[in-house]
Amino acid sequence: MAKILEGIVKDWLMPTLEPGLDDGQFGCRPGRSTTHALIAIRHKWLTTLDKEGSVRSLSTDFRKAFDLVDYNILITKLKSFSIPNNCLLQWFGSYLTSRRQRVKVNCHVSSWKSLNGSMPQGSRLGPLSFIVMIDDLRAPCESHKYVDDTTLSELIPSSCFASDMPQMFDSVLSWTTNNK
């Protein structure tokens, strides 16, 4: 039943979220896939290389991305999308808070453990929540995202030898600090 309700909420949210999401995000969006992301990256890189330029890239995979989501930051980011139904945001906040889990192996069951800042595993709203969470990760270069994986690409013309990649990396580090 929970997955059905999550699907309904996702269907309500997507029409509002979709137009505002970063065009460089390919994960968990209709009509986009890892293949689309790889083709987009390859196109940018090969176009630069064909013009005798060079490419520097930085690939990130956020460690425990779904386990470290700060609910307050996520709800604030959801609000920035101007979701018309405040009741939906309140439900989403309730969905995330006061969650507990336990593990069962054969006949043995662990005690309940409260979850703080993690998305429910296997939920339909977990990946959607994370792409909202990472939506405002921007760097002054080409970026391609697939849920919790991000590739930054510095496309350097043939006449240039300097790199801005350290500053781009610093902007990613700053974003990660600000978003916990």
Side-chain angles (χ1 to χ4, degrees):
M1 294 298 285
K3 287 211 187 255
I4 293 170
L5 181 57
E6 289 172 19
I8 292 168
V9 170
K10 182 179 178 185
D11 290 346
W12 281 343
L13 285 173
M14 279 311 287
T16 303
L17 297 176
E18 183 63 37
L21 290 172
D22 181 2
D23 198 43
Q25 174 61 263
F26 290 85
C28 303
R29 295 177 72 186
R32 294 170 174 242
S33 67
T34 52
T35 302
H36 292 109
L38 292 171
I39 289 170
I41 291 170
R42 186 168 189 239
H43 174 73
K44 293 288 185 179
W45 290 2
L46 291 177
T47 300
T48 300
L49 295 173
D50 285 345
K51 295 176 184 175
E52 298 186 12
S54 61
V55 176
R56 292 187 178 105
S57 69
L58 171 69
S59 296
T60 62
D61 180 3
F62 289 99
R63 175 187 61 86
K64 296 189 176 235
F66 292 89
D67 294 337
L68 300 174
V69 172
D70 182 299
Y71 298 152
N72 292 323
I73 294 173
L74 175 61
I75 294 298
T76 299
K77 289 183 181 202
L78 280 167
K79 287 178 182 176
S80 74
F81 280 89
S82 301
I83 295 168
N85 188 341
N86 194 39
C87 182
L88 191 57
L89 283 175
Q90 289 174 343
W91 178 90
F92 204 88
S94 174
Y95 166 78
L96 294 172
T97 57
S98 303
R99 295 190 72 93
R100 300 180 319 150
Q101 73 178 16
R102 65 182 179 173
V103 177
K104 180 179 179 182
V105 178
N106 297 325
C107 296
H108 304 286
V109 180
S110 70
S111 59
W112 287 100
K113 180 176 174 160
S114 294
L115 300 176
N116 295 318
S118 67
M119 299 307 299
Q121 297 296 314
S123 73
R124 291 184 166 179
L125 293 174
L128 175 66
S129 299
F130 195 78
I131 66 170
V132 167
M133 188 71 184
I134 200 170
D135 185 66
D136 63 349
L137 170 60
R138 302 285 201 286
C141 65
E142 290 290 326
S143 68
H144 296 85
K145 303 173 193 171
Y146 195 86
V147 190
D148 63 339
D149 298 314
T150 301
T151 300
L152 303 179
S153 301
E154 181 181 23
L155 309 174
I156 304 168
S158 61
S159 60
C160 184
F161 299 104
S163 174
D164 293 327
M165 191 55 77
Q167 292 85 354
M168 294 174 203
F169 180 66
D170 287 343
S171 73
V172 171
L173 287 178
S174 177
W175 182 92
T176 58
T177 299
N178 292 337
N179 287 276
K180 300 182 183 178

